[in-house]
């Protein structure tokens, strides 16, 4: 499901570090060399490179990349080079510190909580505490003024879901009814809603959503949409999509980043960097189904230079 291409035989972390050092030295930076090395290494391999580079040259690889590169290319390479929990903690913090926070900014927190494994969410929370000297929950409380949004986000990030395929059909039926009642009453931040979405395992929730559709004839996200177009409704629909169809959610994130007069490079980068090792092959298929054009062509048509080459490398292209 991943699009990342890792060679069957890879150099040692020392060799990769030496080649990166060589790419930094001289009159100009060898961007192609950086793409070739970092763009073909998985998370554990990149961590070994970071650690080895620090040991060899007594400097941070991240800091050196920051000084050598620029623009969207730099942002993408650095996000990719971070350890995934640290990367996501930084993305969540940046979203929370944005002055005019809307669903486009806050959905990264939903992605971490609802489109990642429980172990990854726990690792992100630990990284957040180490990096920012407070918990993710505390920062949500401090930086989200809307009580319903705050309540929902804290509920999502503070739980630890069971990570096995265990489904109780009777529970799905009863909790579908509870969700329907809350939606009909437009009490979208009801404790039942927050509790069910926050603690149930993803397999259980998918069964609950399917039960909802069978019992009440509409999908749960359709009924939520009928309640209005506010931030709470939008956030709940993103939650439903991230739990039910994460590949569709990220295909839509990429489409929204590309369509229109300008490109939302931050969202485009986030979607590709965070999913290239997980399910980007599925996202590519969903993108084609939704837009009748290939994701690769869309990225090529909307980006340029080293930034384009790096994203395409993560998408599995041979640059």
């Amino acid at each position: 499901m991943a699009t990342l291409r890792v060679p069957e035989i890879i150099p040692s972390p020392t060799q990769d570090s030496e080649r990166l050092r060589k790419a930094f030295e001289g009159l100009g930076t060898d961007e192609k060399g950086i793409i070739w090395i970092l763009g073909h290494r998985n998370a554990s391999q990149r961590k070994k490179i970071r650690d080895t580079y620090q040991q060899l040259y007594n400097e941070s690889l991240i800091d050196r990349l920051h000084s050598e590169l620029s623009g969207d290319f730099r942002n993408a390479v650095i996000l990719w080079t971070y350890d995934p929990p640290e990367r996501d903690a930084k993305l969540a913090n940046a979203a929370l510190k944005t002055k005019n926070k809307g669903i486009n900014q806050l959905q990264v927190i939903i992605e971490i909580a609802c489109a990642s494994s429980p172990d990854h969410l726990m690792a992100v929370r630990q990284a957040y505490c180490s990096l920012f000297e407070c918990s993710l929950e505390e920062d949500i409380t401090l930086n989200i003024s809307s009580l319903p949004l705050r309540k929902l986000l804290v509920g999502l990030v503070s739980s630890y879901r069971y990570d096995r395929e265990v489904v109780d059909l009777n529970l799905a039926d009863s909790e579908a009814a509870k969700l329907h009642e809350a939606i009909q009453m437009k009490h979208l931040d009801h404790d039942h809603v927050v509790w069910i979405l926050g603690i149930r395992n993803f397999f259980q929730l998918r069964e609950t959503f399917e039960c909802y559709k069978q019992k009440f004839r509409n999908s749960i996200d359709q009924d939520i949409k009928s309640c209005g177009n506010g931030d709470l409704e939008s956030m709940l629909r993103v939650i439903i999509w991230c739990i039910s169809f994460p590949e569709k959610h990220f295909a839509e994130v990429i489409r929204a980043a590309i369509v229109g007069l300008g490109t939302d490079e931050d969202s485009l980068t986030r979607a590709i960097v965070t999913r290239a090792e997980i399910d980007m092959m599925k996202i590519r298929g969903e993108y084609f189904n939704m837009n009748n054009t290939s994701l690769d062509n869309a990225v090529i048509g909307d980006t340029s230079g080293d930034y384009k080459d790096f994203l395409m490398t993560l998408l599995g292209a041979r640059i």
Side-chain angles (χ1 to χ4, degrees):
M1 293 191 297
T3 52
L4 174 68
R5 291 180 182 271
V6 177
E8 290 186 13
I9 301 174
I10 61 169
S12 69
T14 297
Q15 290 172 312
D16 278 340
S17 296
E18 290 171 346
R19 289 173 182 173
L20 285 169
R21 182 74 168 188
K22 185 177 179 181
F24 299 146
E25 294 177 337
L27 294 177
T29 305
D30 179 8
E31 289 87 355
K32 303 300 182 190
I34 294 170
I35 293 171
W36 178 254
I37 296 168
L38 295 177
H40 293 95
R41 302 292 184 268
N42 63 33
S44 66
Q45 291 161 351
R46 298 194 302 275
K47 184 179 188 306
K48 290 177 183 177
I49 293 170
R50 289 196 315 275
D51 293 343
T52 302
Y53 189 93
Q54 178 72 46
Q55 293 168 4
L56 288 174
Y57 304 112
N58 196 31
E59 72 171 0
S60 161
L61 176 58
I62 298 291
D63 290 345
R64 191 60 189 262
L65 288 168
H66 192 274
S67 67
E68 294 287 339
L69 309 180
S70 62
D72 297 315
F73 175 51
R74 175 173 67 188
N75 295 339
V77 171
I78 288 177
L79 273 182
W80 177 251
T81 306
Y82 279 127
D83 196 42
E86 183 179 359
R87 173 202 67 208
D88 286 356
K90 287 179 176 288
L91 286 171
N93 181 261
L96 289 170
K97 300 304 181 183
T98 301
K99 285 188 177 181
N100 298 315
K101 291 179 283 293
I103 188 60
N104 286 342
Q105 289 74 38
L106 295 176
Q107 66 181 344
V108 63
I109 299 173
I110 301 170
E111 292 163 4
I112 294 166
C114 299
S116 304
S117 71
D119 285 343
H120 180 72
L121 171 59
M122 184 64 70
V124 172
R125 291 170 61 191
Q126 292 171 341
Y128 200 98
C129 289
S130 298
L131 288 167
F132 305 111
E133 298 184 339
C134 72
S135 70
L136 177 55
E137 297 92 324
E138 286 176 303
D139 255 358
I140 290 172
T141 302
L142 287 171
N143 290 283
I144 304 295
S145 58
S146 166
L147 179 58
L149 299 188
R150 188 166 69 223
K151 179 180 177 181
L152 189 55
L153 286 175
V154 169
L156 290 175
V157 304
S158 61
S159 68
Y160 184 81
R161 302 176 194 271
Y162 187 63
D163 195 22
R164 294 290 186 272
E165 190 171 352
V166 175
V167 174
D168 183 326
L169 296 179
N170 291 327
L171 183 65
D173 183 78
S174 66
E175 292 191 337
K178 289 179 180 178
L179 291 171
H180 183 259
E181 181 181 2
I183 292 169
Q184 292 299 109
M185 299 292 292
K186 296 189 177 182
H187 292 165
L188 300 183
D189 64 335
H190 192 283
D191 287 349
H192 286 322
V193 177
V194 176
W195 192 75
I196 291 168
L197 295 179
I199 70 164
R200 296 300 182 205
N201 76 70
F202 294 135
F203 303 98
Q204 180 69 41
L205 285 170
R206 288 167 194 150
E207 184 62 36
T208 298
F209 300 156
E210 182 59 32
C211 186
Y212 186 105
K213 186 174 182 179
Q214 292 176 2
K215 285 171 68 75
F216 306 112
R217 298 186 179 181
N218 285 333
S219 66
I220 186 169
D221 63 303
Q222 285 177 311
D223 279 353
I224 291 170
K225 187 177 182 180
S226 70
C227 292
N229 295 312
D231 284 343
L232 180 58
E233 290 84 0
S234 297
M235 182 175 286
L236 281 166
R237 295 182 70 219
V238 171
I239 292 167
I240 302 301
W241 271 52
C242 281
I243 292 170
S244 302
F245 314 106
E247 62 276 7
K248 291 185 179 181
H249 165 75
F250 284 101
E252 174 56 25
V253 169
I254 294 172
R255 186 204 67 80
I258 288 174
V259 299
L261 295 177
T263 305
D264 178 0
E265 288 86 0
D266 289 345
S267 294
L268 178 61
T269 297
R270 184 185 85 245
I272 294 177
V273 164
T274 60
R275 308 306 288 193
E277 294 181 90
I278 301 174
D279 57 357
M280 186 53 71
M281 197 69 75
K282 282 187 173 182
I283 294 168
R284 176 184 275 151
E286 287 297 336
Y287 190 93
F288 184 84
N289 292 338
M290 292 166 64
N291 303 287
N292 201 31
T293 187
S294 77
L295 185 151
D296 292 30
N297 286 341
V299 172
I300 290 170
D302 235 59
T303 58
S304 61
D306 295 319
Y307 177 56
K308 177 195 72 176
D309 289 346
F310 185 66
L311 293 185
M312 292 308 301
T313 297
L314 298 187
L315 291 172
R318 300 184 186 278
I319 303 298

